[in-house]
Amino acid sequence: MIRFLRFFTLFVLSTVSCSLVAWSQEAKKVSPAKKKVVDRIVWLVGDEPILMSDIEYQKLRLRSENISIEGKPDCFIPEQMAVQMLFLAQAELDSITTDETMVNRQVDSYLSNLVSQVGSKEKLEEYFGKGYSQIVDDQRRIVRNNSIAGMMKENIIKDITISPSEIRSYFSSIPTDSLPYINTKVEVQVIVRRPEVRLAEIDRIKSKLRGYAEEINKNKSSFTTLARLYSEDNRTALNGGEYGFVSRSSLEPEFARIVFNMSTTQKVSPIIETQEGYHLVQLIEKRGELVNFRHILLRPKVTDEALEVEKSRLDSVASKVANGEMSFDEAVDRFSTDPNTINNHGLLVNQNYNSPLVGSSEFTLEELPQDISRAIADLKPGDFSQAFTSRSETGVKQVMLVKLYARQEAHRANMQQDFQTIKELALQKKQNRILDEWIVEKQKSTFVEIAPEYRQCDFRYPNWISTKE
């Protein structure tokens, strides 16, 4: 896509997907609350003002993420805000709205993670120089506007198509040394075995959780303290087990049933079993179809002996596949216990939403889990690894057998191997040209007032300043 529009999207989305480590480091170094800005309107787009404080706020965000800007921030930032205002104004005319549940879910999840990284709500307030409720309101407005502007852009370009001749013309226009570089892509099949846990170990875990529940219900200990001390969920433990607002569909069915049926914040749930382990839950708040809760997660320990048993089983399976007694697909059906891949002949599905390969069975080597990437490093298509021990995404110990199903080596894009990729790039270029033209046309019919000190800019869209003034 055109660099400007890609960065504009990044700029708006940065408030949701920023580097939290950078946030926490920056928060420790500077206290923006001490740098007061005398606020005033510096841009007016239609009836919508851009305040000096808005620009300073975005400078702060970009600085915290170590994002550099080509040119002057006082030129680049307000222009991006003005462009978004054009989309928002048209969206209002077209009655385009967003899902407030989605907005609340993103804001709550983002701020929950941010607070856990920075250390406390008070530190976050100090960093931004405003109360937490104001930070929430600002974040909600940003996420809402970003969503609506994104839907408006999609509405503008939804009917744009591209012909084969346009694709060929686009490809021909790219110098050979500027053709996109296609990284190595692989497809991987897996057989996964999770060892059975001894009943004595399950009893031990449940006994611990029952003890925690008794301490909490008798007010001997707080849920947050016990979560920090004992929960094995690394994402939430430091934040007292707080999970953040989520929808019912994002939780395992039995877990969701119990949590959504809870009616008091004073008591804890019964012990809940999931694929991750065993949980205690304390309700924090329900908000429509969303729920926020704290939890303590304990995972039963798997013995080394149990892991060795499963490794031996998969080594035996590998021998049978190698000897032609069964195919790898048949081995997946008979021996794999992984619910995510067993119905797909063991093929892994790319779930990295930042990847153009998301939803497919293709991965770059960097997108694969490290243990799987190492296992296939020296394999040829059709070969499979020895059985090895790994951890699932939820931290559960398991044994895997991995087959390299297909591999496409890194190369410069060509029409034979990468037609779909080239088609998408050509379509993106055409869509961005249409969006550029739409913005230029909207400028002509939109009243814009810019403070004198903000006019001396090399704008991407120069028609902000009317020649009639």
Side-chain angles (χ1 to χ4, degrees):
M1 295 176 70
I2 295 174
R3 183 197 65 80
F4 161 75
L5 284 172
R6 289 185 68 180
F7 192 85
F8 170 60
T9 302
L10 171 63
F11 171 73
V12 177
L13 286 175
S14 68
T15 59
V16 177
S17 58
C18 70
S19 167
L20 297 177
V21 174
W23 277 103
S24 58
Q25 291 173 341
E26 189 72 15
K28 293 173 182 176
K29 292 188 295 185
V30 64
S31 178
K34 297 178 181 178
K35 300 179 181 180
K36 298 295 182 181
V37 177
V38 178
D39 214 3
R40 60 191 179 89
I41 296 174
V42 293
W43 276 61
L44 189 65
V45 183
D47 296 328
E48 297 295 327
I50 298 176
L51 304 178
M52 183 181 290
S53 61
D54 295 331
I55 298 171
E56 296 301 317
Y57 186 65
Q58 295 297 349
K59 284 183 187 177
L60 177 61
R61 289 183 174 278
L62 293 174
R63 186 171 72 245
S64 72
E65 297 172 64
N66 296 317
I67 294 177
S68 60
I69 296 174
E70 294 181 13
K72 300 177 181 179
D74 284 335
C75 297
F76 180 85
I77 292 173
E79 183 175 32
Q80 312 317 305
M81 299 173 76
V83 167
Q84 188 185 64
M85 287 176 175
L86 296 180
F87 288 119
L88 292 175
Q90 186 62 46
E92 185 174 3
L93 293 175
D94 293 351
S95 300
I96 293 176
T97 59
T98 192
D99 180 355
E100 289 298 318
T101 298
M102 178 276 296
V103 171
N104 290 330
R105 183 167 63 246
Q106 286 193 16
V107 171
D108 289 329
S109 176
Y110 164 72
L111 290 179
S112 176
N113 288 332
L114 189 55
V115 168
S116 68
Q117 290 288 333
V118 174
S120 68
K121 290 181 180 179
E122 289 73 23
K123 288 183 179 179
L124 197 64
E125 290 174 334
E126 181 182 1
Y127 181 69
F128 282 115
K130 59 181 69 176
Y132 187 75
S133 61
Q134 184 60 52
I135 296 172
V136 172
D137 289 343
D138 289 346
Q139 188 66 26
R140 189 172 288 123
R141 172 176 51 83
I142 290 169
V143 173
R144 181 186 298 111
N145 287 348
N146 177 52
S147 175
I148 293 173
M151 287 190 289
M152 187 64 239
K153 286 189 281 187
E154 288 297 322
N155 195 49
I156 294 169
I157 63 176
K158 65 181 180 181
D159 295 326
I160 296 175
T161 59
I162 193 161
S163 66
S165 62
E166 288 177 301
I167 298 170
R168 290 192 295 270
S169 177
Y170 167 78
F171 184 75
S172 299
S173 71
I174 305 174
T176 302
D177 59 0
S178 298
L179 286 170
Y181 190 76
I182 308 299
N183 291 323
T184 297
K185 293 186 292 188
V186 295
E187 294 179 83
V188 175
Q189 287 176 285
V190 297
I191 300 174
V192 180
R193 297 285 301 181
R194 292 182 180 172
E196 289 188 15
V197 179
R198 293 176 178 174
L199 290 177
E201 173 63 9
I202 295 174
D203 289 341
R204 184 186 69 84
I205 291 292
K206 289 183 175 181
S207 178
K208 276 194 169 186
L209 290 174
R210 281 193 290 267
Y212 299 155
E214 185 176 357
E215 288 186 47
I216 295 163
N217 289 334
K218 291 184 176 180
N219 294 320
K220 292 182 178 180
S221 298
S222 71
F223 197 105
T224 54
T225 298
L226 293 176
R228 289 190 180 102
L229 289 173
Y230 303 116
S231 180
E232 296 177 27
D233 182 353
N234 294 331
R235 186 184 76 84
T236 65
L238 290 177
N239 199 33
E242 183 169 349
Y243 203 87
F245 280 92
V246 291
S247 63
R248 185 185 298 269
S249 61
S250 65
L251 302 170
E252 289 189 34
E254 180 63 9
F255 191 100
R257 184 187 68 78
I258 293 174
V259 172
F260 274 88
N261 284 337
M262 293 179 71
S263 58
T264 176
T265 60
Q266 304 304 312
K267 300 293 182 180
V268 300
S269 71
I271 296 171
I272 308 172
E273 181 183 0
T274 69
Q275 292 182 32
E276 287 189 80
Y278 294 85
H279 310 250
L280 277 185
V281 174
Q282 183 182 59
L283 178 66
I284 297 176
E285 181 186 356
K286 291 180 184 177
R287 187 182 295 170
E289 294 302 312
L290 300 176
V291 65
N292 188 15
F293 57 88
R294 299 182 185 92
H295 81 137
I296 298 172
L297 167 66
L298 296 183
R299 297 186 179 102
K301 302 297 184 288
V302 176
T303 65
D304 291 339
E305 292 82 1
L307 288 169
E308 285 301 320
V309 167
E310 294 301 340
K311 286 181 70 174
S312 296
R313 179 178 279 115
L314 287 189
D315 283 336
S316 175
V317 169
S319 295
K320 291 180 179 180
V321 173
N323 294 334
E325 295 179 39
M326 69 177 75
S327 68
F328 198 91
D329 287 8
E330 290 171 334
V332 170
D333 293 338
R334 289 178 59 182
F335 296 102
S336 185
T337 59
D338 180 20
N340 296 319
T341 59
I342 193 171
N343 294 320
N344 196 33
H345 302 297
L347 274 173
L348 291 178
V349 176
N350 193 326
Q351 297 181 0
N352 180 357
Y353 288 96
N354 294 320
S355 170
L357 302 174
V358 64
S360 75
S361 59
E362 292 184 321
F363 294 78
T364 64
L365 293 174
E366 294 75 19
E367 291 169 348
L368 282 172
Q370 288 186 0
D371 50 1
I372 295 179
S373 186
R374 286 193 297 268
I376 67 166
D378 298 322
L379 299 183
K380 297 178 181 178
D383 291 346
F384 45 86
S385 70
Q386 292 183 326
F388 62 93
T389 301
S390 70
R391 284 189 180 272
S392 70
E393 291 182 354
T394 57
V396 176
K397 281 189 176 181
Q398 58 189 14
V399 178
M400 302 185 76
L401 188 67
V402 178
K403 175 184 175 181
L404 180 59
Y405 181 76
R407 180 184 181 107
Q408 184 184 86
E409 297 295 343
H411 61 278
R412 291 285 181 185
N414 61 75
M415 290 287 281
Q416 288 70 41
Q417 289 178 284
D418 310 297
F419 179 80
Q420 190 61 36
T421 298
I422 295 165
K423 177 183 177 181
E424 290 172 3
L425 291 172
L427 180 60
Q428 287 174 356
K429 183 176 180 180
K430 184 175 182 180
Q431 289 171 337
N432 285 318
R433 176 174 56 79
I434 298 298
L435 288 172
D436 276 345
E437 292 171 354
W438 186 92
I439 291 167
V440 170
E441 282 300 310
K442 275 296 170 183
Q443 282 181 310
K444 297 176 182 178
S445 59
T446 304
F447 173 78
V448 178
E449 184 78 28
I450 305 175
E453 65 269 32
Y454 285 83
R455 294 184 176 200
Q456 307 306 313
C457 293
D458 183 18
F459 292 123
R460 169 151 179 89
Y461 302 98
N463 294 332
W464 298 113
I465 301 172
S466 173
T467 56
K468 297 179 182 179
E469 294 183 13

